[in-house]
Amino acid sequence: VSGEVPVGDAPSDLAANDTLDVLVTNKGSDDVTLVSGSYSGPNDTLEFRATQTLPAGNSPAAVISTGARPGNEGIAYLVVNEGSNTVTTYGWDGDQLGVLESIRVGDRPTAISSFRTGVKGTSGYVVTNGGSNDVSILTGSGGSLDPAGRFKAGSSPTAITPLTFSDYFSPDLAV
């Protein structure tokens, strides 16, 4: 991997070819590197190589894969940028990864997790913001996300997990 200080990774199968693709966040060089797997040789050996390096915000700290596939337009990865207080979204067009947008969140974001919103076709993501002691909620479908609010959390939240604590289908958040 060509970036400096790799700190996070998210596996996926972007090309739907039964191989592993991994997006690696490089905190020291403010970028992300896509490492793609492919089979080669007479024994179909799985080999990996860095195929793309794309810009991220300042100090990318965490990444999550959405499980996007070719023919399914939309966001493939979300990267939390601790130094620029943003989340950068990346889309897969079947051949390459590209930057879609950068969304403002709270101060010093450190982690991200996904949840089901209960609305068909929409996904939700929650980001911990250690510098502002809150979490940001992002919702949307297709290729864009919208901020849906920020909610107070404990002091310097660093991890989050969506769970369902009640008998209802709407998610609760454990920060």
Side-chain angles (χ1 to χ4, degrees):
V1 177
S2 60
E4 296 176 23
V5 192
V7 294
D9 60 76
S12 186
D13 181 11
L14 292 174
N17 59 0
D18 295 325
T19 63
L20 183 65
D21 300 300
V22 180
L23 191 68
V24 179
T25 58
N26 303 306
K27 196 168 189 173
S29 52
D30 297 335
D31 58 23
V32 295
T33 302
L34 181 63
V35 178
S36 296
S38 63
Y39 291 101
S40 66
N43 296 325
D44 278 340
T45 304
L46 182 58
E47 297 177 351
F48 292 92
R49 65 183 177 90
T51 56
Q52 271 186 280
T53 299
L54 295 165
N58 295 336
S59 298
V63 59
I64 189 171
S65 169
T66 66
R69 301 283 187 141
N72 183 10
E73 291 183 21
I75 299 168
Y77 292 102
L78 290 90
V79 172
V80 172
N81 302 300
E82 187 175 8
S84 56
N85 303 325
T86 60
V87 170
T88 303
T89 62
Y90 298 86
W92 177 255
D93 69 4
D95 292 318
Q96 63 182 357
L97 203 60
V99 176
L100 296 176
E101 65 181 329
S102 184
I103 305 161
R104 176 90 166 101
V105 292
D107 297 337
R108 207 168 30 91
T110 56
I112 188 167
S113 188
S114 64
F115 65 91
R116 291 183 183 201
T117 64
V119 178
K120 185 178 180 180
T122 53
S123 300
Y125 299 91
V126 60
V127 179
T128 58
N129 302 307
S132 51
N133 300 324
D134 60 14
V135 296
S136 296
I137 306 293
L138 307 172
T139 60
S141 61
S144 68
L145 293 174
D146 297 309
R150 288 173 52 189
F151 302 92
K152 284 291 180 193
S155 179
S156 301
T158 58
I160 192 155
T161 300
L163 300 168
T164 302
F165 292 111
S166 63
D167 291 333
Y168 301 101
F169 293 105
S170 58
D172 302 303
L173 301 173
V175 182

